[in-house]
C-alpha cells in the first residue's frame, strides 16, 4: 500500500532561474560580472588597464541597477547567490563559486542601497580578493567589511554567540541554522541597517545591547569566556606553571621561525626596499607634483643600484622614472653623469661587472639597452676600465647596435691612449660596416700596435673596394708580415692599374729577394690579380733578367710567368709564347709551364 504523503510537511521549492526581464535579470548579470572581475584581478596586476576597466564597469553597473530598481538584497547559500527565491549564479565549479566566500565566513545576505560610491565597490572587491587569496590568514570577511565602513552596504551574518563566543554545548543548532545577526547601525548618519536593522554599534559578534567587548551573561550572574574582536577574554582555567611550561617548550621552534622570517625580510637590499616603497607611492594615485618629487629622488636610487651592480633593480628604478613623466628627468643627462672620469658610480659598476657571471652580464646589457642610444658613450668608458675580455667584447657588440646610425660617435675613442680601447672601437665600426666607416678608420690604420692595424684591415672588409683601396695602399708601408699579406689579399679583389703599379714597385725593389717567402708569394698573387696589359712590358722585362748561362729552373721566373698568365689576355699569351721560344732554359721552362695552365679571362 502506497504511503500517504503528509500534507503538513513543508517542502522547499527549488530555486527558480533568473527571468528574462526585471530586477532579477539585472542582478544576475551584475553577479556574473562580479565573478569575472574577481578572476581578472587574480590574473593581472591592479594597474593593468583590463583590471581597471573591469572594476570601473562593475561599480557603474551596480549604481545604474540601484537607481533603476532600488535597494537590492542578495542572499547566499554554500553554492548560489539568490535574489529572494530566484537563483542568480549557481556554482558550476569551486573556482566559479561566487557565494562561497560570503557563506563560509557567516554572511547570509548583503544589501546594496542607491547612492553607492565606486570606492565602496572597490573596497568590497579588494576584501573578497583578500579572503580568497592563497596568503589569506585568519581574517574573515565580516570583520573586513565592518572595518571598511561601507555606508551603502548592509550585511546580515550568522551570530557566533552560541558555539564560539558563548562556549555552548552540543545541544546548540548547527551554524547554518543559527540566528542571523543584523549589521550594526551606522553612527553619524550612515545608511539604514540591513535585514535585521540592529542598533548596536559594537563589532560583529557582540551581544545585542551589551557594551563592546563585554562578556555575555549566562543568566546566573557569572561571566563566561567570550571574544572581543578576535581576542579571547575572561578567565582561562588551568595551572599557571603548566601553561608557562608549554610556552617554554614551544619557544625554541617559534624563536627559530622568527629568526628565519627576520633574515628573509632583511635579505632585501636597501635599494629593493626603497623601490618597493616608491612603486607603492605611484600606485596609490600620486598626483603630478608628487611624481615630480619622486623623479627628483629616484635618480639617487638608480645611481646606488648601478654602483652596486644591482642591474635588475636599476631597471625597476628606470621604469619608475619613466612612469613619473617628469620634465626634470632624462636618460641622456643621467648617463652623462656616468661618463665623467670622476664618476664613482661607474667605477663601482665596472668592478661589480668584472666579478659577475654570464647571467649578471646579460642583466647589465638589459639595463644598458633600457637606457637606449644615449648610453653608448658610458658603455665605451666601461669598455676602457673593464679587465674582462669577455665583458668587453659583449659590451662592444651592444654599443655597435646603439650607434649604428651614428658611427661617428665612436671617433673620439679611436685616438685613446689605450690600444685595447682603440681595438674595441675598430671592432664596433667593423660590426657597423659600410663606406661611412672608412674615413673613421684612418687614424687607427697607422696605430703603432699591430693588433690594432690587423683589426683595421678586418674592418675594411666591410667597406667597398673603391673606398678601402686608398687606405690599404697607405698601410703597405707600415705593415708587419701578417698585416702585409692581409692588405695584399684585400687589394686583389679587383683589377686596378694604380694598385698594380704600386705592387710592381715592390717586385722591382732591390730588397725584394730579402723579404720572407710568404710576403713574396702574396706580392706575386696580388700582382696577377690586379695587373692589366699596360703592365705586361714591365713584367716581361723582369722575366728576362738574370743569368743567361743558368740551366736550372728559377722559382722567381716561374712566379713572374704565372703572374702574366693570370692576366689572361691575348697580350699575356703572346708574351708567354715568345718566352717559350727563348734560348734561355729557365725562361723557356717557366713560360711553357705557365702556358699549360693559361686560362683566358672573360
Amino acid at each position: 500500500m502506497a504511503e500517504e504523503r503528509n500534507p503538513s510537511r513543508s517542502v522547499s521549492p527549488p530555486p527558480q532561474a533568473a527571468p528574462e526581464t526585471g530586477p532579477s535579470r539585472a542582478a544576475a548579470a551584475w553577479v556574473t560580472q562580479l565573478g569575472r572581475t574577481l578572476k581578472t584581478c587574480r590574473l593581472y596586476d591592479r594597474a593593468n588597464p583590463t583590471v581597471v576597466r573591469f572594476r570601473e564597469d562593475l561599480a557603474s553597473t551596480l549604481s545604474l541597477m540601484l537607481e533603476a530598481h532600488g535597494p537590492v538584497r542578495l542572499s547566499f547559500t554554500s553554492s548560489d547567490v539568490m535574489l529572494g527565491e530566484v537563483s542568480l549564479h549557481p556554482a558550476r565549479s569551486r573556482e566559479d563559486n561566487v557565494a562561497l566566500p560570503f557563506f563560509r565566513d557567516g554572511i547570509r545576505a548583503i544589501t546594496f542601497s542607491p547612492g553607492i560610491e565606486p570606492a565602496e565597490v572597490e573596497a568590497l572587491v579588494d576584501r573578497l580578493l583578500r579572503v580568497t587569496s592563497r596568503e589569506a590568514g585568519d581574517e574573515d570577511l565580516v570583520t573586513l567589511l565592518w572595518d571598511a565602513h561601507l555606508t551603502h552596504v548592509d550585511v546580515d551574518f550568522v551570530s557566533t554567540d552560541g558555539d564560539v563566543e558563548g562556549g555552548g554545548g552540543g545541544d546548540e543548532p548547527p551554524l547554518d541554522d543559527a540566528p542571523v545577526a543584523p549589521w550594526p547601525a551606522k553612527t553619524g548618519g550612515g545608511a539604514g541597517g540591513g535585514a535585521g536593522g540592529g542598533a548596536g554599534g559594537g563589532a560583529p559578534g557582540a551581544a545585542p545591547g551589551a557594551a563592546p567587548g563585554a562578556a555575555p551573561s549566562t543568566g546566573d550572574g557569572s561571566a563566561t569566556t567570550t571574544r572581543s574582536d578576535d581576542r579571547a577574554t575572561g578567565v582561562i582555567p588551568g595551572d599557571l606553571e603548566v601553561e608557562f611550561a608549554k610556552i617554554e617548550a614551544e619557544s625554541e621552534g617559534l624563536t627559530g621561525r622568527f629568526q628565519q622570517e627576520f633574515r628573509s625580510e632583511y635579505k632585501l637590499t636597501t635599494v629593493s626596499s626603497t623601490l618597493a616603497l616608491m612603486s607603492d607611492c605611484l600606485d596609490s594615485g600620486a598626483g603630478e607634483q608628487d611624481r615630480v618629487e619622486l623623479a627628483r629622488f629616484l635618480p639617487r636610487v638608480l645611481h646606488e643600484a648601478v654602483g652596486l651592480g644591482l642591474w635588475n633593480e636599476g631597471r625597476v628604478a628606470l621604469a619608475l622614472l619613466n612612469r613619473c613623466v617628469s620634465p626634470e628627468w632624462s636618460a641622456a643627462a643621467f648617463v652623462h653623469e656616468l661618463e665623467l672620469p670622476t664618476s664613482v658610480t661607474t667605477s663601482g659598476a665596472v668592478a661589480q661587472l668584472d666579478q659577475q657571471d654570464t647571467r649578471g652580464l646579460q642583466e647589465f646589457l638589459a639595463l644598458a639597452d633600457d637606457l637606449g642610444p644615449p648610453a653608448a658613450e658610458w658603455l665605451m668608458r666601461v669598455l676602457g676600465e673593464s679587465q674582462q675580455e669577455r665583458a668587453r667584447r659583449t659590451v662592444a657588440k651592444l654599443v655597435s647596435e646603439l650607434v649604428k646610425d651614428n658611427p661617428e660617435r665612436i671617433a673620439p675613442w679611436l685616438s685613446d691612449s689605450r690600444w685595447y680601447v682603440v681595438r674595441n672601437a675598430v671592432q664596433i665600426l667593423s660590426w657597423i660596416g659600410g663606406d661611412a666607416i672608412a674615413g673613421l678608420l684612418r687614424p687607427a690604420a697607422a696605430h703603432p700596435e699591430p693588433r690594432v692595424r690587423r683589426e683595421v684591415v678586418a674592418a675594411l672588409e666591410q667597406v667597398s673596394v673603391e673606398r678601402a683601396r686608398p687606405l690599404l695602399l697607405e698601410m703597405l708601408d707600415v705593415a708587419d708580415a701578417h698585416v702585409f699579406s692581409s692588405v695584399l689579399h684585400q687589394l686583389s679583389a679587383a683589377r686596378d692599374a694604380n694598385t698594380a703599379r704600386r705592387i710592381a714597385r715592390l717586385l722591382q725593389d732591390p730588397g725584394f729577394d730579402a723579404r720572407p717567402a710568404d710576403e713574396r708569394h702574396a706580392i706575386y698573387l696580388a700582382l696577377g690579380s690586379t695587373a692589366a696589359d699596360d703592365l705586361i712590358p714591365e713584367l716581361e722585362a723582369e722575366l728576362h733578367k738574370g743569368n743567361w748561362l743558368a740551366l736550372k729552373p728559377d722559382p722567381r721566373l716561374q712566379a713572374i710567368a704565372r703572374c702574366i698568365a693570370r692576366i689572361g689576355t691575348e697580350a699575356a699569351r703572346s708574351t708567354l709564347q715568345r718566352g717559350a721560344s727563348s734560348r734561355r732554359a729557365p725562361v723557356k721552362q717557366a713560360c711553357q709551364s705557365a702556358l699549360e695552365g693559361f686560362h683566358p679571362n672573360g
Side-chain angles (χ1 to χ4, degrees), residues 95-447:
E95 291 75 14
D96 193 49
N97 196 344
V98 177
L100 182 59
F102 298 91
F103 186 84
R104 178 192 62 198
D105 288 356
I107 297 177
R108 294 298 178 263
I110 186 168
T111 304
F112 300 102
S113 302
I116 190 169
E117 298 292 334
E120 296 181 78
V121 181
E122 288 274 349
L124 174 63
V125 172
D126 288 341
R127 281 147 184 81
L128 281 171
L129 292 171
R130 187 168 169 177
V131 299
T132 56
S133 68
R134 294 182 179 179
E135 294 79 15
D138 296 330
E139 297 174 312
D140 63 271
L141 190 56
V142 176
T143 304
L144 292 176
L145 292 178
W146 167 262
D147 293 338
H149 303 292
L150 306 180
T151 306
H152 299 85
V153 179
D154 293 302
V155 177
D156 293 345
F157 58 95
V158 173
S159 173
T160 58
D161 287 343
D163 59 334
V164 175
E165 299 182 299
D171 296 332
E172 295 167 1
L175 187 62
D176 289 353
D177 298 329
V180 176
W183 192 247
K186 278 73 174 177
T187 59
S217 175
T218 62
D220 57 0
S222 61
T224 62
T225 303
T226 184
R227 194 178 74 170
S228 173
D229 289 338
D230 60 348
R231 299 182 184 274
T233 62
V235 178
I236 303 177
D239 184 83
L240 182 60
E241 293 297 332
V242 174
E243 297 301 324
F244 181 78
K246 290 181 180 179
I247 294 175
E248 192 173 35
E250 296 175 355
S251 63
E252 184 176 353
L254 294 175
T255 302
R257 189 185 71 178
F258 169 78
Q259 292 175 344
Q260 181 180 359
E261 293 175 354
F262 181 86
R263 287 192 295 269
S264 298
E265 180 179 350
Y266 277 84
K267 278 182 180 179
L268 290 176
T269 63
T270 303
V271 173
S272 299
S273 302
T274 304
L275 290 174
L277 180 60
M278 297 297 99
S279 179
D280 291 342
C281 290
L282 288 174
D283 291 339
S284 64
E288 182 178 353
Q289 187 58 38
D290 298 326
R291 293 174 181 271
V292 171
E293 291 297 330
L294 288 174
R296 291 171 181 168
F297 173 74
L298 278 168
R300 304 179 189 177
V301 184
L302 182 54
H303 269 286
E304 188 73 8
V306 173
L308 294 175
L310 304 175
W311 317 124
N312 286 336
E313 285 82 350
R315 297 186 69 189
V316 173
L318 189 59
L320 292 176
L321 280 164
N322 292 332
R323 285 179 59 187
C324 290
V325 195
S326 171
E328 299 181 12
W329 156 258
S330 72
F334 174 74
V335 296
H336 179 68
E337 297 176 9
L338 299 181
E339 296 167 22
L340 299 176
T342 56
S343 174
V344 178
T345 300
T346 299
S347 299
V350 174
Q352 294 294 330
L353 184 63
D354 283 351
Q355 297 174 10
Q356 292 176 348
D357 56 12
T358 303
R359 180 179 178 181
L361 178 59
Q362 294 304 319
E363 291 174 356
F364 171 79
L365 295 178
L367 171 61
D369 192 50
D370 288 348
L371 288 169
E377 283 76 10
W378 173 55
L379 293 176
M380 289 302 299
R381 184 188 164 187
V382 173
L383 280 175
E385 296 188 11
S386 176
Q387 302 301 313
Q388 294 291 334
E389 183 177 357
R390 170 182 56 86
R392 292 200 300 267
R393 183 173 181 84
T394 307
V395 172
K397 190 67 176 178
L398 177 59
V399 174
S400 70
E401 297 174 1
L402 294 177
V403 302
K404 61 182 177 181
D405 296 327
N406 298 288
E408 60 275 3
R409 293 173 61 184
I410 302 300
W413 302 94
L414 292 168
S415 56
D416 194 272
S417 58
R418 295 162 293 186
W419 70 267
Y420 56 88
V421 175
V422 179
R423 184 177 66 174
N424 286 331
V426 174
Q427 280 182 334
I428 292 171
L429 293 177
S430 176
W431 288 324
I432 296 173
D435 289 352
I437 71 170
L440 298 173
L441 291 172
R442 187 173 296 277
H447 198 279

